[in-house]
Amino acid sequence: MWIVGGGGGRGVVVGSTTSRWLLAKWKALNSSPRVLTRYFVYFSYTHPIIHRPSRHVIWKKPVLYCSTRPPWTPNLQEDYSKRSLDDHLGYQGEIFCNRSLNMQSIEAVGFDMDYTLAQYTPETFEVLAYEGALKRLVHIGYPKQILEWKYDPSYYLRGLIIDKGRGNILKMDRHKYVKLAYHGFKPLSKAQREKLYDQEPLTPTSLHDSNYVPLDTLFSLPDAYLFSQLIQLADEHPELLNRSYSSIFDDVRRAVDICHRDGYIKDKVAIEPSYYVEKDPYLFDTLKLLKKSGRKLFLLTNSLWEYSNVLMNYLWGNPSGKYTLDWMDYFDLVIVGAAKPTFLVDQNLPLYRVDPHSGQLKNAELFDFYSDYDHLAHGKLFQGGNWRYLHHLLRVSSGSSILYVGDHMYSDILRTKSQLGWRTMLVIPELEREVNIMQQESMQRQHMEELRRLRDDLDEWLDRLESELVQATEEEQQQETSISNRMETIQAELHQAQKEYQRTKEALDIALNTYDSKFHPIWGQLFKTGYQNSYFAHQVETYACLYTSRVSNIRLVSPEIHFRCMVDYMPHDRLEEAPFRRLMRRRLRLRRQMLEEKQSVKDD
Ligand SMILES: Nc1nc2c(ncn2[C@@H]2O[C@H](COP(=O)(O)O)[C@@H](O)[C@H]2O)c(=O)[nH]1
Ligand SMILES: [Mg+2]
């Protein structure tokens, strides 16, 4: 420990009574002598934070104010890995609420089917789209070698954005700033990334630019992987693939699209649904519970009737190849081939009645549709149409009395909410893994929070010291008297604090990378980019009234529940947590203690 300063009322002389008293005081304030040795303490006659009293007051009241590290900060030597893990329960099927929703105001609950009621197995289902697309690409002239390629279903996350013009995949934060960027599979350096995306007008402030394609659904992940592989091929072997990045993306998109339409994917799923789709044993119990509560239930899917019937039969529990209409008893209305999101905006789309046995379509508009005629009594299966038919058939009073549960950020959630005022629940299967890792890593998170607080405190501290130095320089110039002792002390302090700040920042970067890589080695957490919410999280927060990992979590709460959101906080609501306030509080406490101590020495 160093005690620095001049004598004669300007500081503390090393080895003097005052310094011994100060040392004793310091020890009492800091229980760990190991930590104590790292401090660098001196007396000052100005107080940079609490106030700047007039000079004669300052001279009379010396204040202990400095250390290389604010003394209330944690001990970085502590080994967090040795701390025992708190008991954690893991994800318990919670439904999270962004916007309060009283279920008593909900008259109808609707469900999307693919990736909502039916969860596909990535390792098998996504491979179908990928392999099918490879074949299509070879068919239109792509090199045959690509047929050897393999798909990695864990490589990409939804919520990422493809910059198809540049062949890049991006992760953005909630302000739409690009925080991670890869060209194909090659990471872009910070400088490269900033050059491309942080300079107006290149910042993708609007995702309506057709060059940016958001991965809004898990269906898009094979597109992203295949695109990256082709970018790599085009860069490394232009003799094999010489097309623009943008046209490569368009080819991939078209190839995957065809596989969804021509039966390449759906025929295989229909033969063996259990290989491609995970069955949720509680799904129909959940629907039953909602129906019993008096809610009208509807299915609104873009899949056509034949495929929807296959999947719903499988989810209902019929063996492969056996198709009944039992599952339809749970729904008041089924609309297939809905063509979302157009269904939600175009009021001219025609509605067809579907014969569930033959699959035949009949125009449902041949009679006066908006009369009191009970259309549902004559069959509840339809194809196409638009939201006006849906509202009419269900006889709901307004869009806000519909809760729609879906997986597609744009079609199922953003559009339904912003266009029609439907209340929304987003299904995010990834949530289970995400929350479980968060819980397992709670110690590491706590460690990061402490490091972050320390970094912010040091930053604040450095700022104070710098302004102190400026002030001291001005004083020296004005009074033409040398206060070099004090200046040297501040400079030494600044130097020490800068070193400590740098060390803390580096430790924090390492801790954050370690933490992030537990979620995904490349893209980190789904809901975060560093400390900020990711663009995906921002969309969830903005458009999904509720979100959960699977539909059957609804059975864990009452159908009459009032979902309430958490209190919103702005920075000024958390004023006391600001580093400046922490610094100020600590100083006031120290000062009070010292004065009391001094008083008691005098009294003795
Ligand atoms: N023609 C295309 N169809 C696609 C594509 N990606 C997915 N799909 C199909 O959409 C529905 C989704 O149904 P929903 O229940 O979620 O509304 C399903 O049949 C998919 O096969 C595509 O790129 N092109
Ligand atoms: Mg879907």
Side-chain angles (χ1 to χ4, degrees):
M1 172 153 173
W2 304 351
I3 307 276
V4 184
R10 284 176 148 243
V12 183
V13 178
V14 177
S16 68
T17 319
T18 319
S19 77
R20 279 199 299 277
W21 171 81
L22 176 60
L23 188 60
K25 179 74 226 149
W26 203 238
K27 274 182 176 163
L29 289 172
N30 294 275
S31 51
S32 160
R34 185 163 53 88
V35 174
L36 182 73
T37 55
R38 304 187 59 166
Y39 293 134
F40 172 48
V41 182
Y42 69 97
F43 267 86
S44 164
Y45 297 95
T46 54
H47 196 292
I49 288 183
I50 300 172
H51 46 67
R52 289 196 177 276
S54 63
R55 182 153 299 275
H56 72 275
V57 176
I58 295 170
W59 278 96
K60 281 183 186 158
K61 291 190 177 173
V63 177
L64 171 71
Y65 85 97
C66 221
S67 78
T68 53
R69 182 170 84 188
W72 57 96
T73 51
N75 176 8
L76 290 186
Q77 319 302 317
E78 192 168 349
D79 185 353
Y80 277 78
S81 64
K82 291 208 178 86
R83 279 206 202 167
S84 68
L85 278 179
D86 286 335
D87 279 349
H88 60 81
L89 296 165
Y91 184 62
Q92 294 291 304
E94 286 88 351
I95 298 171
F96 300 104
C97 176
N98 289 316
R99 187 178 158 210
S100 293
L101 170 61
N102 187 350
M103 280 297 286
Q104 288 180 18
S105 68
I106 296 298
E107 296 167 33
V109 184
F111 297 91
D112 165 75
M113 182 180 75
D114 299 86
Y115 277 120
T116 299
L117 297 180
Q119 286 305 332
Y120 291 102
T121 313
E123 293 77 14
T124 55
F125 181 75
E126 288 173 20
V127 170
L128 280 183
Y130 172 81
E131 289 181 352
L134 284 179
K135 287 179 189 157
R136 309 275 147 194
L137 289 171
V138 171
H139 190 68
I140 59 164
Y142 278 68
K144 278 204 177 68
Q145 293 92 309
I146 67 172
L147 293 174
E148 317 269 306
W149 287 355
K150 292 277 167 280
Y151 176 63
D152 180 355
S154 64
Y155 199 88
Y156 283 114
L157 303 179
R158 74 166 137 171
L160 301 175
I161 286 106
I162 295 178
D163 174 354
K164 66 179 208 180
R166 298 189 183 100
N168 297 345
I169 320 287
L170 318 172
K171 188 176 183 193
M172 300 199 303
D173 69 11
R174 70 187 172 95
H175 305 291
K176 295 188 188 158
Y177 276 94
V178 176
K179 292 295 178 174
L180 274 174
Y182 279 73
H183 177 70
F185 296 118
K186 264 205 317 243
L188 294 190
S189 68
K190 190 164 183 266
Q192 287 172 316
R193 196 180 74 222
E194 284 175 356
K195 189 163 175 237
L196 287 179
Y197 299 108
D198 280 6
Q199 288 170 11
E200 294 293 349
L202 292 175
T203 305
T205 46
S206 165
L207 289 180
H208 298 306
D209 180 337
S210 60
N211 267 326
Y212 295 105
V213 182
L215 303 183
D216 268 343
T217 155
L218 295 170
F219 278 121
S220 321
L221 302 188
D223 296 39
Y225 194 76
L226 183 46
F227 180 54
S228 299
Q229 284 180 308
L230 290 169
I231 294 297
Q232 193 175 29
L233 182 69
D235 287 350
E236 292 172 7
H237 297 283
E239 72 285 4
L240 291 177
L241 183 58
N242 192 2
R243 295 175 198 228
S244 72
Y245 297 143
S246 186
S247 68
I248 291 175
F249 181 83
D250 292 341
D251 289 342
V252 169
R253 185 77 287 281
R254 218 169 297 124
V256 174
D257 182 57
I258 291 171
C259 293
H260 278 278
R261 287 194 276 120
D262 71 355
Y264 185 89
I265 296 173
K266 290 186 168 102
D267 290 353
K268 293 184 179 63
V269 177
I271 292 169
E272 203 180 353
S274 61
Y275 187 60
Y276 299 103
V277 182
E278 291 163 20
K279 196 184 311 193
D280 182 338
Y282 302 108
L283 179 62
F284 278 85
D285 289 347
T286 310
L287 300 182
K288 196 170 165 182
L289 205 80
L290 281 171
K291 194 147 178 55
K292 230 174 117 188
S293 74
R295 294 334 186 293
K296 289 172 186 157
L297 299 194
F298 67 95
L299 181 69
L300 179 69
T301 171
N302 281 359
S303 287
L304 293 172
W305 166 243
E306 205 184 341
Y307 185 67
S308 305
N309 194 32
V310 168
L311 277 202
M312 293 308 293
N313 265 283
Y314 168 66
L315 295 174
W316 159 246
N318 276 341
S320 178
K322 182 180 175 193
Y323 305 122
T324 65
L325 298 179
D326 294 337
W327 64 269
M328 280 184 68
D329 292 346
Y330 292 78
F331 295 94
D332 296 279
L333 171 66
V334 174
I335 299 183
V336 296
K340 294 170 286 177
T342 329
F343 180 94
L344 312 163
V345 283
D346 184 346
Q347 299 190 17
N348 297 315
L349 290 174
L351 181 74
Y352 300 93
R353 192 180 275 287
V354 184
D355 177 344
H357 302 289
S358 65
Q360 266 187 352
L361 303 184
K362 268 193 219 151
N363 193 327
E365 297 161 324
L366 294 177
F367 41 92
D368 179 12
F369 201 87
Y370 293 103
S371 67
D372 280 343
Y373 180 76
D374 187 0
H375 295 273
L376 289 180
H378 298 269
K380 53 183 159 188
L381 179 59
F382 294 87
Q383 178 176 314
N386 61 69
W387 64 272
R388 282 203 323 149
Y389 290 119
L390 184 137
H391 281 205
H392 179 75
L393 286 166
L394 293 172
R395 299 191 191 282
V396 289
S397 47
S398 72
S400 62
S401 59
I402 293 180
L403 171 65
Y404 189 60
V405 187
D407 69 291
H408 196 294
M409 182 63 86
Y410 185 75
S411 294
D412 296 337
I413 303 298
L414 190 153
R415 273 311 203 174
T416 52
K417 182 174 172 169
S418 53
Q419 201 77 30
L420 305 173
W422 289 6
R423 308 306 304 272
T424 52
M425 181 188 281
L426 179 65
V427 173
I428 314 175
E430 302 96 311
L431 199 56
E432 294 185 6
R433 186 173 171 273
E434 197 89 354
V435 169
N436 287 340
I437 297 176
M438 273 175 74
Q439 295 225 319
Q440 281 156 19
E441 298 300 321
S442 59
M443 285 297 153
Q444 175 75 358
R445 225 178 36 253
Q446 194 185 324
H447 175 46
M448 276 160 46
E449 274 162 26
E450 286 171 4
L451 277 173
R452 191 150 188 254
R453 213 173 306 133
L454 173 55
R455 183 204 59 185
D456 294 349
D457 287 355
L458 280 162
D459 208 7
E460 184 76 31
W461 187 240
L462 276 168
D463 192 56
R464 300 285 143 194
L465 286 171
E466 273 156 13
S467 76
E468 178 72 3
L469 195 62
V470 171
Q471 186 98 10
T473 314
E474 273 172 18
E475 277 173 28
E476 193 173 41
Q477 281 163 359
Q478 276 168 16
Q479 293 169 17
E480 292 168 4
T481 54
S482 168
I483 48 171
S484 59
N485 232 340
R486 193 169 127 218
M487 303 256 286
E488 273 167 27
T489 312
I490 298 170
Q491 264 155 352
E493 176 74 7
L494 246 175
H495 182 64
Q496 281 291 108
Q498 271 157 353
K499 274 200 331 214
E500 189 83 3
Y501 174 80
Q502 206 48 41
R503 259 203 306 274
T504 311
K505 211 165 150 288
E506 281 160 18
L508 184 57
D509 284 348
I510 293 169
L512 181 63
N513 283 339
T514 313
Y515 181 73
D516 264 354
S517 64
K518 299 272 160 73
F519 294 85
H520 193 285
I522 296 157
W523 303 105
Q525 294 183 75
L526 178 62
F527 291 87
K528 292 270 181 283
T529 44
Y531 305 105
Q532 296 273 293
N533 278 352
S534 62
Y535 181 64
F536 175 75
H538 171 65
Q539 287 190 308
V540 172
E541 206 175 25
T542 314
Y543 300 109
C545 302
L546 307 169
Y547 63 102
T548 192
S549 69
R550 53 178 76 210
V551 168
S552 62
N553 293 339
I554 298 173
R555 82 189 192 288
L556 302 172
V557 297
S558 143
E560 309 307 328
I561 190 174
H562 191 154
F563 290 104
R564 288 196 169 85
C565 59
M566 288 199 283
V567 178
D568 286 345
Y569 287 111
M570 288 190 69
H572 73 270
D573 292 317
R574 296 177 178 273
L575 190 60
E576 295 310 319
E577 289 169 38
F580 169 72
R581 292 272 166 159
R582 282 202 290 269
L583 202 65
M584 210 161 132
R585 276 201 304 274
R586 179 67 190 179
R587 284 188 184 175
L588 284 167
R589 244 193 337 266
L590 278 176
R591 185 164 182 232
R592 207 177 305 123
Q593 280 173 348
M594 284 182 63
L595 291 174
E596 281 167 14
E597 189 73 22
K598 244 185 160 178
Q599 192 58 44
S600 73
V601 171
K602 252 192 208 164
D603 293 348
D604 289 347

